[in-house]
Amino acid sequence: MAQLVLVRSDQMTVTLREVTQEDLPIFFEHQLDADATRMAAFPSRDRDAFMAHWARIMSNKTGILNTILADDTVAGNVVYWEAAGEPNIGYWLGFQLARENMCDGDDGEELVMELRSDRCATAANKPTKT
């Protein structure tokens, strides 16, 4: 499967690849994290609702679905789709990975994750390293 390398540094390599069925249980666990759901201002789903949601996402012909890998570990996902002719972007990062690997320093620097398109998706809250 092809991968797109986004960032390579001495700390981490971040790549994108197509979402697979094997990613879904990991995505499910990511969205159960209370800190992540608070940051996203979006509630978690139970397993059946989550899998049904992803079945709809994966069946959308306008969708571009990518798994985010951090050093070959599933770190989250970023998706693009059209609804009513409008472009949309959504993403979810496993909050534990972000907390452990994507925050620099020990001085509580804020981690702000942001994607931009015609519509902007941003974190609802700015977590600090704990």
Side-chain angles (χ1 to χ4, degrees):
M1 181 177 299
Q3 292 186 358
L4 171 65
V5 176
L6 298 178
V7 177
R8 179 175 286 133
S9 73
D10 58 339
Q11 293 180 336
M12 178 184 308
T13 299
V14 178
T15 56
L16 295 180
R17 66 160 167 74
E18 288 183 32
V19 170
T20 66
Q21 288 290 329
E22 292 77 21
D23 297 329
L24 300 185
I26 299 167
F27 296 167
F28 173 74
E29 292 298 323
H30 287 168
Q31 60 95 43
L32 290 177
D33 186 287
D35 290 333
T37 57
R38 187 178 68 251
M39 183 179 86
F42 196 84
S44 62
R45 293 179 167 96
D46 67 31
R47 182 172 288 278
D48 290 341
F50 181 85
M51 294 303 176
H53 173 71
W54 268 93
R56 284 189 302 276
I57 290 171
M58 294 177 88
S59 69
N60 184 327
K61 300 300 181 205
T62 67
I64 300 170
L65 315 175
N66 287 286
T67 296
I68 303 167
L69 301 171
D71 290 334
D72 298 320
T73 298
V74 173
N77 62 79
V78 59
V79 299
Y80 166 89
W81 74 99
E82 294 178 12
E86 294 290 322
N88 294 272
I89 294 176
Y91 69 95
W92 196 278
L93 292 176
F95 195 65
Q96 186 63 33
L97 182 72
R99 191 173 19 233
E100 291 173 359
N101 298 312
M102 295 180 184
C103 295
D104 295 324
D106 292 324
D107 56 0
E109 292 178 40
E110 293 178 334
L111 171 66
V112 180
M113 292 166 247
E114 186 172 329
L115 294 171
R116 294 195 181 268
S117 72
D118 290 341
R119 296 178 184 237
C120 183
T122 61
N125 297 297
K126 297 176 183 178
T128 58
K129 185 174 180 182
T130 56

